[in-house]
Amino acid sequence: MGTVLMIGAGGVGRVVAHKCAQLPKVFTNIWLASRTLSKCDAIAAEIGRDHPIHTAQVDADNVPELMTLIERVKPKMVINVALPYQDLTIMDACLATGVHYLDTANYEPLDEAKFEYKWQWAYQERFKEAGLMALLGSGFDPGVTNVFCAHAAKHHFDRIHSIDILDANAGDHGHPFATNFNPEINIREVSANGRFYQHGKWIETDPLAISTRFDFPEIGEKKAYLMYHEEMESMARHLPEIERMRFWMTFSDSYLQHLDVLKNIGMTSIEPILYQGQEIVPLQFLKALLPDPASLGASTKGKTCIGCVINGEKDGKKSSRYIYNVSDHQSCFKEVNAQAVSYTTGVPAMIGAMLMMNETWLKPGVWNIEQLDPDPFMAALTVHGLPWQDTLFKGKVGA
Ligand code: NDP
C-alpha cells in the first residue's frame, strides 16, 4: 500500500520497525532514519533479509534535512518515534513535502518541562488545507487509553461521568534505578506537579502527593500515584461531558527513593549549569549515566497492566467498565527484542499507521486518536499482540 518512513531508532522505534515488517502488504517499503545511523542498521539487521529495511541518518531538529530525506524516500507517511522535541519540525517537513504524519507523544519544548497540545493543534488548518492527516498520540497512554474511552462512549454509555486511567508496570529489570523509556522524558514527566480534571477545571497537586491502592489483574495490589498525563488534555476537549478524569501510575519504592535523592541534589534539573567551563544540563548528564532503556529488554521480567475504569450511564442506568491490557515483558522481548513498555507503545503506533495507510482512518486535519472510530483499532489490537478485556467493574478508584 506504500512506503513508510520511521524517525527514531530507540526502544519504541525498534518495535514499530518489527511490527511494520510483519505486514509487508501494508508497509510495502520501510525506511528507518534516526540521529545515529548505527542504531537503525542494528534494527534492520535484526529484522533480517526477509523484510529489508532501508536506513538513513537524519537530524530531526533540522527541517531542510528532513525535507531532503522525505523527498528522497517519497513515503506516504512519517511515523515519528523520536522525541517530543522533534514533533513540530517533523510536522513542518511533512507539510512542506506533502506526506501524512503520526506520533506517540505531544510536543514539549526542550528548555521547559511543559507538554501541551496547543502547539500541534495550531497546525489544524494547514494540514486540512494541504489534504494531509496528522494523527497525534498513537501509543498506549496516550493512544490505546483514549481508544478504550472512545470504545466505552460508543458501545456502553450515552454519557461518561468519570475516567480513571491506571498504569502499572510490575516489571523488574534488575537495576536499582532505571527508566523504561527515554529517561529525560520520563523524569520530566514524573517530577512535574500532579493535575486532574474536575467539573471543567484542572486541579493541581504537588508531585506524587496523592496515591491510591488498586488491585491490578495478573499483577495484584499496587500503590499508584496521581500524575498529570497528556491524554487527559485532549479527552477533556473531545469528550466534554466528563465530570472527572484522573491518571494513576505505579512506581516501586526503590524508584521513588532514588528519584527523591536525585531531585534533592539537583540532578533532575533542566537548567544548564557551568561545569569546568562547559555548560551541561544535569538531567541530560543523568540520562547519559543511566542504562539505555532499549538495553533493558533481556533482563526485564514481569507484566504491565494499563487500562481505564470508566463510569457512565446508559438509558438512565449507571455502571462502570474496566477496559485493560496485560502484557508480559519476556513475551514481548521474545517477539521483537524489546520490553513491554516499548512494545505497548510501538504496536499502537503501527496500528494507527496501518489504518492511515489502508485509508480506514485517513482524513485531512490534525486528530487526536479518540476522535476516530475505535472499532477497527480495537480489533487490530487483539490481532497484533495487545489483547484487551472489557469487564463490568464493581469497585471504586481512589478517594
Ligand atoms: P529513545 O530515547 O529510546 O529513542 C529515541 C530515538 O529518537 C533515538 O533513536 C534517538 O537517537 C532519536 N532521536 C532523538 N533526537 C533526534 C533527532 N534530533 N534527530 C533524529 N533522531 C533523534 O525513546 P523511546 O523509544 O523510549 O521513545 C520514543 C518516543 O515514544 C518518545 O517521544 C516517547 O515520549 C514516546 N513514548 C510514548 C509512550 C506512549 O504510550 N504514548 C510511552 C513511551 C514512550 P539517538 O539514539 O541518537 O539518541
Side-chain angles (χ1 to χ4, degrees):
M1 258 171 247
T3 299
V4 68
L5 169 62
M6 276 168 262
I7 301 180
V12 178
R14 162 174 275 115
V15 178
V16 182
H18 272 270
K19 289 307 229 182
C20 288
Q22 290 173 10
L23 294 178
K25 285 196 179 132
V26 178
F27 304 100
T28 46
N29 208 5
I30 301 173
W31 279 79
L32 174 60
S34 195
R35 184 165 52 190
T36 312
L37 181 63
S38 59
K39 291 196 184 174
C40 305
D41 289 340
I43 294 172
E46 152 189 318
I47 292 172
R49 279 192 204 157
D50 296 346
H51 306 281
I53 309 253
H54 309 282
T55 60
Q57 196 275 331
V58 74
D59 175 4
D61 292 318
N62 183 318
V63 178
E65 217 178 278
L66 282 165
M67 285 170 60
T68 305
L69 175 66
I70 294 173
E71 275 155 5
R72 177 175 152 218
V73 169
K74 296 188 178 40
K76 183 164 176 174
M77 67 178 294
V78 169
I79 300 177
N80 167 17
V81 277
L83 297 179
Y85 317 130
Q86 282 87 44
D87 287 2
L88 303 188
T89 44
I90 299 178
M91 287 177 88
D92 284 333
C94 284
L95 273 175
T97 51
V99 306
H100 305 291
Y101 170 90
L102 175 149
D103 68 30
T104 65
N106 66 9
Y107 176 68
E108 180 168 344
L110 190 57
D111 54 0
E112 198 188 352
K114 187 171 190 178
F115 47 92
E116 266 185 66
Y117 276 116
K118 70 171 183 210
W119 292 287
Q120 291 180 277
W121 283 339
Y123 283 69
Q124 173 68 281
E125 285 314 310
R126 275 173 285 164
F127 268 80
K128 220 176 203 166
E129 274 164 24
L132 295 173
M133 176 170 185
L135 178 61
L136 309 183
S138 191
F140 205 105
D141 45 343
V144 177
T145 48
N146 309 49
V147 176
F148 284 167
C149 296
H151 165 88
K154 181 171 176 180
H155 296 290
H156 294 305
F157 301 118
D158 303 326
R159 183 154 179 249
I160 291 181
H161 296 301
S162 70
I163 296 173
D164 281 286
I165 303 162
L166 293 131
D167 179 331
N169 179 5
D172 180 6
H173 42 56
H175 294 264
F177 185 78
T179 63
N180 296 294
F181 67 97
N182 186 283
E184 198 185 325
I185 304 295
N186 182 247
I187 291 171
R188 279 164 73 126
E189 184 177 275
V190 177
S191 346
N193 277 354
R195 212 186 314 166
F196 64 99
Y197 182 78
Q198 191 153 281
H199 300 303
K201 291 200 183 98
W202 291 100
I203 296 164
E204 199 147 304
T205 68
D206 286 337
L208 311 182
I210 298 178
S211 64
T212 189
R213 295 197 76 81
F214 188 80
D215 192 7
F216 289 92
E218 299 187 43
I219 287 178
E221 197 177 287
K222 288 262 169 206
K223 195 170 176 181
Y225 295 82
L226 188 142
M227 284 175 54
Y228 178 64
H229 224 240
E230 65 195 61
E231 62 265 53
M232 292 195 288
E233 185 189 6
S234 70
M235 288 205 283
R237 177 165 152 152
H238 299 129
L239 304 169
E241 77 277 13
I242 293 175
E243 290 159 21
R244 191 183 66 195
M245 215 177 340
R246 299 178 297 191
F247 181 95
W248 308 88
M249 191 178 268
T250 64
F251 299 101
S252 70
D253 289 344
S254 166
Y255 178 94
L256 292 176
Q257 278 157 9
H258 280 79
L259 190 64
D260 225 23
V261 174
L262 292 167
K263 216 158 120 188
N264 289 341
I265 58 172
M267 280 298 286
T268 60
S269 167
I270 61 169
E271 291 301 321
I273 58 153
L274 264 184
Y275 177 71
Q276 296 189 343
Q278 202 183 333
E279 218 178 54
I280 58 166
V281 174
L283 182 55
Q284 286 172 4
F285 178 68
L286 174 62
K287 176 182 179 239
L289 293 175
L290 292 174
D292 176 0
S295 71
L296 298 173
S299 62
T300 307
K301 297 189 171 66
K303 290 182 178 175
T304 61
C305 173
I306 317 174
C308 305
V309 170
I310 305 164
N311 296 305
E313 64 180 80
K314 191 174 181 101
D315 303 325
K317 194 167 169 260
K318 289 185 180 170
S319 66
S320 296
R321 307 295 304 183
Y322 179 35
I323 312 174
Y324 63 90
N325 161 263
V326 174
S327 290
D328 179 77
H329 286 289
Q330 290 287 291
S331 312
C332 297
F333 187 73
K334 217 182 265 173
E335 184 192 334
V336 298
N337 268 351
Q339 35 84 357
V341 175
S342 303
Y343 189 89
T344 54
T345 309
V347 171
M350 180 283 287
I351 293 173
M354 175 182 79
L355 296 176
M356 289 170 69
M357 294 291 275
N358 67 19
E359 308 202 350
T360 307
W361 268 5
L362 201 66
K363 56 180 179 175
V366 174
W367 304 99
N368 289 96
I369 201 161
E370 69 273 14
Q371 295 178 277
L372 302 159
D373 179 10
D375 293 354
F377 192 96
M378 291 292 277
L381 283 174
T382 306
V383 174
H384 296 289
L386 294 177
W388 43 272
Q389 306 294 321
D390 178 356
T391 59
L392 200 61
F393 183 74
K394 294 281 186 208
K396 192 169 165 242
V397 181

